Every structure is written in C-alpha cells, then in structure tokens.
C-alpha cells in the first residue's frame, strides 16, 4: 500500500511566509496548505490524507516549537524537511 502525501509548509513567521512559499513554488513544488501551529496541523491531519511538511526555520522560531512539531510528526509517520530561507538545515546556536 502506497501512502499519498500532500505538500504543506509550516511557517510561524507571518512576515516571511509568502517569501518562503514563493521559494518552494520556484523550486517546482506547490504546497497545498500553510500551517503556523501544530494545532492547525493536527486538525487537518484528522480530516485528510497525510502531508510532507517543510518547516521554515527563521530567527523568530524556537527549538521548542520545532521539537513539538517533530514529535507530532514522528508519532504519525509524517515526513518533515527543516530548512532556513537558504534551503539549509539550521544549526543550533
């Protein structure tokens, strides 16, 4: 059985949400949803097929928020890609 995943962007930073989504679209992908909280993701998860999540890590994000998202996704076998605006995995500081 093959799961059919849909693409979603997770971005808590409203100021950078459109810029990051534009980068994803320029890369050739069309996100179906944009989430800004784990609660929104959980509500959508209950009603629809699973997502592949691209988490946009900005300087305004916290490692605790990222940990909460990763925990939610791990327990539901949802793939997560974590990237900053340059497409790199952010390093803890």
């Amino acid at each position: 059985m093959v799961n059919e995943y849909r693409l979603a962007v997770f971005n808590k930073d409203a100021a950078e949400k459109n810029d990051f989504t534009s980068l994803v679209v320029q890369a050739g992908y069309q996100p179906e949803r944009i989430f800004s909280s784990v609660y929104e993701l959980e509500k959508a998860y209950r009603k629809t097929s699973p997502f592949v999540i691209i988490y946009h890590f900005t300087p305004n994000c916290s490692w605790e928020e990222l940990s909460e998202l990763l925990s939610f996704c791990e327990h539901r076998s949802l793939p997560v890609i974590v990237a900053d605006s340059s497409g790199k995995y952010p390093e803890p500081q």
Side-chain angles (χ1 to χ4, degrees), residues 28-63:
Y29 303 98
Q30 185 60 48
E32 187 173 310
R33 297 278 306 265
I34 300 173
F35 297 105
S36 59
S37 73
V38 173
Y39 175 74
E40 289 177 4
L41 175 59
E42 186 175 6
K43 272 182 22 181
Y45 177 80
R46 290 183 194 160
K47 296 177 183 178
T48 63
S49 61
F51 292 97
V52 172
I53 307 296
I54 300 177
Y55 182 92
H56 182 208
F57 194 88
T58 67
N60 297 329
C61 293
S62 74
W63 289 98

